[in-house]
């Protein structure tokens, strides 16, 4: 499980790096993106490992990448649309 966790964290960081390279203007700071990718991948690895049990390393890493990608997708901002502030906030 330790090697799976290490591999999942590395995959999450690689996924974060590729997201920052492809969408630099639509993501928040790099620190938030790297942290979200790594923690999302670790959570995905934990979740998949808990569901499938030991001995499914490839499936665990696929689950880690999947959950990491989903958590990173939550950080993407809309393109070209600036959010207007409400009257109460101004």
């Amino acid at each position: 499980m330790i090697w799976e966790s290490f591999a999942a964290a590395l995959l999450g960081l690689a996924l974060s790096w590729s997201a920052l390279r492809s969408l630099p203007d639509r993501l928040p700071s790099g620190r938030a993106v790297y942290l979200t990718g790594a923690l999302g991948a670790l959570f995905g690895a934990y979740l998949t490992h808990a569901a499938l049990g030991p001995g499914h390393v490839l499936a665990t890493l696929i689950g880690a990448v999947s959950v990491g990608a989903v958590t990173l997708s939550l950080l993407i901002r809309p393109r070209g649309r600036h959010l207007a502030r409400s009257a109460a906030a101004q």
Side-chain angles (χ1 to χ4, degrees):
M1 179 68 186
I2 290 184
W3 290 110
E4 288 176 0
S5 301
F6 183 69
L10 284 179
L11 286 172
L13 290 173
L15 194 63
S16 300
W17 177 80
S18 89
L20 277 173
R21 297 275 298 165
S22 61
L23 300 168
D25 55 334
R26 295 181 60 193
L27 288 170
S29 69
R31 178 186 284 179
V33 173
Y34 284 120
L35 185 65
T36 301
L39 289 179
L42 282 172
F43 179 70
Y46 170 74
L47 191 67
T48 309
H49 184 81
L52 298 178
H56 298 92
V57 177
L58 183 61
T60 300
L61 294 179
I62 290 171
V65 169
S66 300
V67 174
V70 167
T71 55
L72 282 174
S73 74
L74 295 174
L75 295 178
I76 297 175
R77 296 182 210 145
R79 182 185 326 202
R81 239 179 47 201
H82 296 290
L83 297 176
R85 296 182 67 124
S86 68
Q90 292 178 356

